[in-house]
Amino acid sequence: MRLELFDLIDDSVKLLELNNPSYQYVEGAIKGCFEHLLEDYMDYVVGFSSRIKSIGSLKEKMIRNKYYLQFSTGEEVLNFLPDLIGLTVECRFISDENRIYQAIRHHFSFVEDQEYAQCMLYPDLCLNLAMPQPQLQRNGFTIYRIDGYYLFNGRKVNFELQIKSMVHSFWSEIEHQVVYKNTQYVMFDSFMKDILASIRDNLDVVDHQLEIVYTQILNQNKDKDIGMSERGFKMFMAKSISDLYAIKMIESIGFTTDFKKCSAVLSQYIYIKDFVQSDQPQQKMVEYFEHFNLLKISDLDFTEPITLEKEFIHYDPFCDVLGRYWQSIINIDFEWHVFFVMLFAIQPGNNIQDFTMFVEVLKSLIVNRFWYEKKFTALDNVSAQTIRDDLLRCVAEAMVEVGKVEIIHEDRLLQIMELFHEEIDRLDEMLESLEEYQLQRKDILTHLKHKICALFY
């Protein structure tokens, strides 16, 4: 005599086989619905896969979840079974999972007094969007898993929607085939959990790396003139400068420091100086490529003092203040010394010319000349220029007060530029005469200098 639970299992299996044609139709309908709903997101979606619960899987789930204690008929079992049909939306990367989930939510609206949200395009399609996502699994990892049902001939057919990146899909197969189907691992439960968690963490890293590669490939494909674009030129220059710096620092003093942001500044400087104004940018890139190869086999000594051919003097107040400061500490502050060693190495002219050009280009990154010359034009020319020069000098003095090489990093220059523009726009509206400015001069300059210095502390 058999246990009663097997009678329930047999009844459920027979009903599953009997309704299989209907389930196949619903499976295709659900898949078609989501393919249409996500047609604008096919750049992120790799594919759709679906399945109807197999007989073996149904038996295993009924025993594992003790359905025989909850239900008395096969119909009750199949009506309750949340993953009678399974649909998986596979996307490229982990970061895409939430993007796909939010896109799906956008097509559903909640019906009053009902737990499930109804699809606005396909009213027979419903999802339980009240479930928190992503769901926490028994293995401790998360997954986007949503219960749903499809109305077919007036009856609800349950399905489970999963959203998985390629890495998560791969991991699911690993767990299913290697872990859950191999009972021998149970005796090593604690040890195996640690190993599997480590593997999973590594897969997350792989996902991130693949996403970077994929994004880079997309960007390159969009650039018809790869290597000759602004972005391509800057990346080439920054990497070349950074690599050269690392090699020569090791050779010269035996260790190296982080020079990536300074490399980016130098690449931006070279781009403005040589790329923008050149009629043959391709030729310029080839020349720099040859120059860097030559520098790699040349001596570059960071322990030797830098010599400028003459004292730095500039008509512009910003350039004069900053340039004089750099000349005074160029062989004292090692960070600045290293920066200018690299600048002079990659520029073929004499040092004072390169030094002057760099200060002028730096100013242009903070202050747009055409924009600035239109400020304070309500005043006479002499008064307006006096105020403009005074404020520029204040910006340079604030940067000198900070003193760190960080003041020329691109992100910091952008912050200084935005702050300066805000303050100038405010003062332009406020000031009506040079006398009014002179009365408030001390407070205005103190305020401006304080705000710039505050960016660095």
Side-chain angles (χ1 to χ4, degrees):
M1 182 176 178
R2 293 200 314 166
L3 295 176
E4 290 185 8
L5 69 93
F6 290 105
D7 293 332
L8 177 63
I9 290 174
D10 288 344
D11 184 30
S12 302
V13 168
K14 288 179 182 178
L15 195 59
L16 179 68
E17 292 176 324
L18 180 65
N19 291 327
N20 191 259
S22 297
Y23 296 153
Q24 286 181 355
Y25 172 83
V26 173
E27 178 190 12
I30 294 171
K31 188 176 180 182
C33 289
F34 282 102
E35 286 176 347
H36 183 213
L37 295 178
L38 295 172
E39 63 181 359
D40 292 335
Y41 291 82
M42 296 312 291
D43 286 344
Y44 307 103
V45 175
V46 174
F48 299 82
S49 60
S50 60
R51 58 102 187 111
I52 299 170
K53 198 75 169 175
S54 67
I55 293 174
S57 180
L58 175 63
K59 292 179 177 179
E60 184 271 333
K61 189 158 192 171
M62 289 181 65
I63 294 176
R64 174 164 48 85
N65 291 345
K66 298 186 177 181
Y67 283 1
Y68 51 85
L69 297 179
Q70 304 175 55
F71 309 109
S72 56
T73 67
E75 186 174 5
E76 290 177 348
V77 171
L78 296 186
N79 287 341
F80 176 81
L81 195 66
D83 59 342
L84 176 60
I85 295 173
L87 174 67
T88 299
V89 179
E90 187 174 348
C91 51
R92 284 189 173 87
F93 307 111
I94 295 173
S95 60
D96 294 334
E97 292 178 346
N98 185 61
R99 182 181 286 110
I100 298 300
Y101 173 69
Q102 295 300 333
I104 291 172
R105 282 186 65 97
H106 178 73
H107 291 285
F108 287 77
S109 63
F110 283 94
V111 180
E112 189 176 354
D113 299 328
Q114 290 192 18
E115 182 182 9
Y116 282 65
Q118 188 177 45
C119 181
M120 292 176 280
L121 291 178
Y122 302 102
D124 291 333
L125 185 68
C126 298
L127 287 177
N128 184 359
L129 295 178
M131 300 169 66
Q133 300 294 339
Q135 297 274 301
L136 186 65
Q137 301 178 91
R138 288 178 300 166
N139 59 14
F141 300 119
T142 56
I143 184 175
Y144 282 86
R145 190 194 66 77
I146 310 148
D147 291 339
Y149 66 81
Y150 187 89
L151 284 175
F152 178 67
N153 291 334
R155 298 186 62 180
K156 294 180 180 179
V157 179
N158 295 331
F159 70 91
E160 179 183 273
L161 172 66
Q162 294 187 2
I163 306 170
K164 289 182 179 179
S165 64
M166 293 187 296
V167 162
H168 283 171
S169 293
F170 172 71
W171 177 249
S172 295
E173 287 300 312
I174 293 294
E175 277 194 321
H176 185 68
Q177 299 296 335
V178 177
V179 182
Y180 296 141
K181 287 195 173 183
N182 194 338
T183 56
Q184 294 180 11
Y185 279 115
V186 175
M187 61 187 298
F188 304 111
D189 186 55
S190 178
F191 173 71
M192 288 309 301
K193 281 183 178 179
D194 291 340
I195 294 294
L196 290 170
S198 176
I199 295 172
R200 169 58 186 265
D201 290 341
N202 288 333
L203 285 177
D204 287 348
V205 173
V206 169
D207 173 88
H208 179 64
Q209 292 172 335
L210 287 173
E211 187 171 9
I212 292 173
V213 171
Y214 178 75
T215 303
Q216 182 68 16
I217 291 172
L218 279 184
N219 290 336
Q220 289 184 355
N221 286 340
K222 291 176 183 176
D223 193 349
K224 297 180 181 178
D225 193 19
I226 186 65
M228 292 301 108
S229 66
E230 173 183 347
R231 183 174 177 274
F233 183 86
K234 287 181 183 179
M235 287 182 63
F236 163 76
M237 291 304 304
K239 185 178 186 308
S240 298
I241 294 168
S242 184
D243 291 347
L244 176 65
Y245 165 81
I247 293 170
K248 293 305 175 182
M249 275 287 281
I250 293 292
E251 290 178 359
S252 179
I253 60 176
F255 65 88
T256 185
T257 55
D258 187 359
F259 199 70
K260 289 191 289 292
K261 289 193 174 182
C262 288
S263 297
V265 172
L266 289 173
S267 71
Q268 173 77 347
Y269 165 66
I270 294 170
Y271 170 76
I272 294 172
K273 176 178 174 288
D274 291 327
F275 190 86
V276 173
Q277 301 176 3
S278 175
D279 295 330
Q280 296 180 313
Q282 294 91 343
Q283 181 63 32
K284 278 291 181 184
M285 179 170 279
V286 172
E287 289 174 4
Y288 270 109
F289 184 76
E290 294 173 348
H291 183 52
F292 281 122
N293 284 336
L294 182 61
L295 286 174
K296 287 180 181 179
I297 60 175
S298 304
D299 291 331
L300 192 59
D301 194 344
F302 291 94
T303 66
E304 292 291 324
I306 295 173
T307 303
L308 298 182
E309 289 79 3
K310 63 179 181 178
E311 183 181 355
F312 177 82
I313 300 174
H314 205 286
Y315 68 90
D316 181 86
F318 176 93
C319 296
D320 193 61
V321 170
L322 206 54
R324 286 177 182 272
Y325 165 72
W326 281 335
Q327 187 171 33
S328 70
I329 54 88
I330 199 168
N331 293 318
I332 298 173
D333 187 318
F334 190 66
E335 278 190 320
W336 285 116
H337 176 78
V338 167
F339 178 83
F340 284 106
V341 167
M342 292 300 300
L343 171 65
F344 298 149
I346 61 181
Q347 292 291 279
N350 66 46
N351 289 354
I352 192 66
Q353 290 175 343
D354 296 333
F355 187 83
T356 303
M357 179 63 75
F358 178 74
V359 179
E360 291 173 348
V361 169
L362 190 76
K363 180 199 169 187
S364 72
L365 294 175
I366 297 176
V367 184
N368 182 296
R369 180 171 64 86
F370 300 103
W371 164 82
Y372 199 43
E373 288 176 354
K374 294 178 182 177
K375 298 300 175 181
F376 311 111
T377 50
L379 286 65
D380 63 86
N381 292 338
V382 175
S383 297
Q385 191 60 46
T386 299
I387 295 174
R388 287 195 292 262
D389 288 349
D390 211 22
L391 293 168
L392 272 180
R393 186 180 294 105
C394 178
V395 174
E397 289 173 350
M399 295 173 70
V400 167
E401 187 171 317
V402 174
K404 298 180 289 188
V405 75
E406 188 182 355
I407 61 173
I408 62 169
H409 290 171
E410 281 188 297
D411 55 341
R412 295 303 197 178
L413 290 175
L414 178 61
Q415 290 177 323
I416 295 172
M417 181 201 72
E418 291 175 343
L419 188 153
F420 184 66
H421 279 216
E422 289 174 4
E423 288 298 307
I424 296 305
D425 286 339
R426 182 179 67 84
L427 292 172
D428 188 33
E429 294 180 3
M430 181 182 77
L431 297 175
E432 297 181 355
S433 67
L434 178 61
E435 291 72 25
E436 184 182 359
Y437 170 74
Q438 289 173 334
L439 286 173
Q440 303 181 57
R441 179 178 182 273
K442 183 178 179 181
D443 290 338
I444 290 172
L445 297 183
T446 300
H447 175 73
L448 178 59
K449 184 180 291 186
H450 172 74
K451 292 196 75 172
I452 292 174
C453 291
L455 295 173
F456 299 87
Y457 300 101

